[in-house]
Amino acid sequence: MPELPEVETVKRGLNKLIINKRIISVSDDNYKSFPNDKQLVEQFLIGSSVIKIRRRGKALMIDLNNKYCLVVHLKMTGQLVYVDSNSRWGAGHPNDSFVAKLPDKSTRVEITFNDKSKLFFNDQRKFGWMRLLPTSEVENLPFFQKLGPEPLVDSFTADEFKSRVRRRKNTNIKAAILDQSTLAGVGNIYADESLFGAKIHPQSLVKDISDDSLESLLKEIKSVMNLSIEKGGSTDKNYVNAEGGRGSYLEFAKVFRRENQPCLIDGSPIVKIRVAGRGTHFCPLCQVKAVSKSK
DNA sequence: CACTTGACCTGTCCGC
DNA sequence: TGCGGACAGGTCAAGT
């Protein structure tokens, strides 16, 4: 589920909810979700306080006041949900029926703070993970070593985007932008949406795409992600924000999950195919496949 | 080496 | 209603 905008939304939520709270207990399901040595958790997680939450790509880093950091990757179905000391937001709150049921069968880790409020790490498919380690060692994790630049910072230029994408000359453009070493944070939803905006066919080979088109693609990636952050991300099935609420970006999506519905530009039906092993949505009229020059 | 495919899991939906 | 298979927003390992 969560791509950059969803993880950014969770980050912003947690930064309003758990700063300066002290962790008094942690329970987990002894599953791979949290493969840390129990002694390390006892020694460095319990008793520590949260300083701030950062995001890099689709990963979250919860910085603690003892130079340790709890890194979290939500993968497909992970959730980080905070609930107050009554385990609910109060009658009438739109998220109350969801959070009042926590923990549920997907809960993998439950963190309790000094004021009895809780942070739940839920993950139906168990692909996600948490990892406690010294903050200075976070960047050494293989996941971060390979990660490309953040797309939304000004220092990430069109020239750098082009040269990174063009390293993947023999593959299609969708695979190239889903590759987290090209740039960080693009997943299936925003790949489809940004390719539509840039009028690029998802199966076009990188070597057949013009520089102008790639520049347009970077602009679309930025604008699609910024809009999604504004809308609190995309909730399809599992994703919720740090308070258990839904994101509304999919109401604004132009191709994702809109197969057989009319293209908003020309009215022709949106098509769904499989590209790079993923369900892929596009408009066959707007997004014409780039043609190879050599042949 | 560059690239593609399958595996990791559970839940849901669709066709028979 | 039951059952098998395909599929779901991400990443890695293993294969070609």
Side-chain angles (χ1 to χ4, degrees):
Chain A
M1 61 167 47
E3 307 178 32
L4 187 152
E6 290 73 34
V7 180
E8 177 67 21
T9 302
V10 172
K11 182 200 85 174
R12 293 182 183 187
L14 291 178
N15 270 321
K16 288 182 187 156
L17 294 165
I18 64 169
I19 299 306
N20 291 327
K21 292 190 191 278
R22 184 165 43 86
I23 295 169
I24 59 167
S25 69
V26 177
S27 66
D28 70 86
D29 63 354
N30 282 313
Y31 197 71
K32 65 172 187 180
S33 312
F34 197 10
N36 259 287
D37 177 348
K38 294 286 169 287
Q39 225 183 335
L40 193 77
V41 172
E42 293 280 326
Q43 191 175 352
F44 294 106
L45 188 58
I46 296 176
S48 68
S49 297
V50 176
I51 296 180
K52 71 172 176 189
I53 294 89
R54 294 176 289 144
R55 178 192 61 74
R56 177 83 174 88
K58 302 173 192 171
L60 284 169
M61 294 98 96
I62 301 176
D63 286 326
L64 305 169
N65 67 342
N66 57 358
K67 297 199 160 73
Y68 270 71
C69 179
L70 186 61
V71 183
V72 188
H73 200 302
L74 302 174
K75 289 285 185 85
M76 301 276 260
T77 55
Q79 306 172 328
L80 274 182
V81 183
Y82 173 86
V83 292
D84 75 5
S85 51
N86 299 315
S87 293
R88 42 198 301 138
W89 289 109
H93 191 283
N95 306 337
D96 191 57
S97 62
F98 173 77
V99 303
K101 294 187 188 118
L102 298 177
D104 65 20
K105 63 189 293 191
S106 75
T107 299
R108 312 253 93 85
V109 181
E110 179 176 333
I111 293 173
T112 305
F113 296 106
N114 54 309
D115 62 357
K116 302 286 193 263
S117 61
K118 289 174 185 291
L119 183 65
F120 293 95
F121 175 42
N122 304 325
D123 186 13
Q124 181 182 100
R125 288 172 75 179
K126 303 181 182 178
F127 292 163
W129 47 264
M130 279 186 154
R131 182 88 189 271
L132 179 69
L133 70 172
T135 309
S136 59
E137 292 174 19
V138 168
E139 64 189 38
N140 299 329
L141 285 177
F143 175 85
F144 290 105
Q145 292 265 304
K146 285 182 307 192
L147 205 52
E150 289 293 320
L152 298 183
V153 302
D154 292 339
S155 56
F156 185 53
T157 63
D159 282 347
E160 184 171 5
F161 175 70
K162 283 184 284 184
S163 76
R164 285 179 164 271
V165 169
R166 292 207 185 283
R167 300 190 310 193
R168 305 288 306 269
K169 50 172 63 80
N170 286 314
T171 194
N172 60 68
I173 185 63
K174 180 158 179 179
I177 59 172
L178 285 175
D179 181 347
Q180 301 297 293
S181 72
T182 303
L183 75 171
V186 175
N188 206 35
I189 297 177
Y190 304 106
D192 283 3
E193 291 298 311
S194 56
L195 287 168
F196 173 81
K199 299 189 190 298
I200 299 172
H201 191 293
Q203 288 176 311
S204 290
L205 298 180
V206 169
K207 63 181 176 185
D208 298 330
I209 299 175
S210 70
D211 275 8
D212 283 354
S213 282
L214 288 184
E215 284 178 30
S216 158
L217 178 57
L218 178 59
K219 282 185 190 145
E220 291 296 325
I221 289 171
K222 287 174 184 256
S223 72
V224 156
M225 285 189 165
N226 279 323
L227 175 62
S228 183
I229 290 169
E230 203 178 295
K231 302 298 176 189
S234 299
T235 296
D236 184 18
K237 288 195 170 67
N238 293 277
Y239 170 73
V240 291
N241 64 29
E243 300 184 24
R246 301 166 57 88
S248 66
Y249 175 78
L250 286 186
E251 294 168 24
F252 303 86
K254 299 191 171 87
V255 290
F256 189 81
R257 286 291 152 81
R258 291 195 68 247
E259 57 267 35
N260 302 320
Q261 295 176 46
C263 170
L264 300 174
I265 306 286
D266 57 43
S268 71
I270 300 300
V271 171
K272 184 176 181 185
I273 59 173
R274 192 154 269 270
V275 180
R278 319 303 302 276
T280 298
H281 314 73
F282 71 105
C283 169
L285 276 191
C286 290
Q287 295 165 269
V288 177
K289 198 163 169 179
V291 185
S292 178
K293 286 170 226 161
S294 63
K295 178 184 157 221

